[in-house]
């Protein structure tokens, strides 16, 4: 199978089964990119996640774009991964829009949405656990920065301010 086809299938699958946004599917992306396909190391993937969070746009799309380029060393691979990760959402939302009015009052549709909520929480928890590794916590400074940001986010400090300050402090230390 060609690398481009493999890249498309991988990111189409990620887009199809990834519910809840970029953070919740980070573990799925890491497993496919690092463990299954060996397109990069855990350290490289951690860097991609950091860049994807710091740049404008959805994290999953930013991550797919970067992984596509890294795996193929071409803009075509980058575009292909980006299209593949977004295509399932476009198809599903289109179908939902067509059929939602018809099935809005259906109790089984309500049950399906009720089951998706805890699934998203579990995926978000998985992403948080996945990012707690030795590549992210390299010394006491990184642990202190994480603890401060976590505590301030619980106090509902603006996440843009937290991200900016953590980036500046990390940049000065490292």
């Amino acid at each position: 199978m060609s690398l481009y086809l493999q890249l498309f299938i991988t990111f189409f699958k990620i887009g199809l089964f990834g519910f809840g946004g970029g953070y919740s599917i980070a573990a799925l992306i890491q497993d496919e990119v690092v463990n299954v396909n060996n397109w990069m190391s855990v350290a490289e993937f951690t860097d991609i996640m950091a860049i994807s969070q710091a740049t404008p746009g959805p994290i999953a799309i930013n991550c797919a774009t970067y992984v596509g380029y890294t795996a193929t060393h071409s803009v075509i691979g980058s575009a292909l991964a980006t299209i593949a990760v977004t295509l399932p959402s476009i198809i599903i939302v289109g179908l939902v829009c067509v059929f939602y009015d018809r099935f809005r009052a259906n109790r089984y549709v309500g049950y399906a949405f009720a089951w998706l909520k805890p699934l998203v929480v579990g995926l978000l928890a998985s992403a948080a656990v996945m990012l707690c590794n030795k590549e992210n916590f390299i010394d006491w400074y990184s642990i202190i920065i994480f603890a401060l940001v976590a505590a301030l986010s619980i106090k509902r400090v603006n996440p843009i301010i937290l991200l900016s300050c953590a980036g500046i402090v990390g940049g000065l230390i490292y």
Side-chain angles (χ1 to χ4, degrees), residues 75-157:
V75 175
I76 294 170
S78 183
L80 194 62
T82 304
I83 291 167
V85 80
T86 58
L87 191 58
S89 297
I90 293 168
I91 294 168
I92 291 169
V93 169
L95 291 172
V96 167
C97 288
V98 169
F99 293 107
Y100 182 70
D101 281 337
R102 197 178 297 166
F103 296 106
R104 180 179 11 188
N106 185 305
R107 67 180 177 181
Y108 297 111
V109 172
Y111 293 149
F113 281 113
W115 277 95
L116 284 175
K117 290 177 186 177
L119 177 67
V120 170
V121 171
L123 289 170
L124 285 170
S126 172
V129 169
M130 177 207 61
L131 291 173
C132 292
N133 57 39
K134 64 183 178 181
E135 284 83 14
N136 287 327
F137 296 103
I138 56 175
D139 57 18
W140 284 104
Y141 295 120
S142 59
I143 294 170
I144 291 168
I145 292 169
F146 171 78
L148 285 172
V149 169
L152 292 172
S153 68
I154 291 171
K155 296 285 187 184
R156 298 203 182 260
V157 174

Side-chain angles (χ1 to χ4, degrees), residues 51-75:
I51 291 168
S52 296
Q53 292 171 30
T55 53
I59 293 170
I61 293 174
N62 291 346
C63 189
T65 303
Y66 189 81
V67 169
Y69 186 83
T70 302
T72 64
H73 303 291
S74 73
V75 175

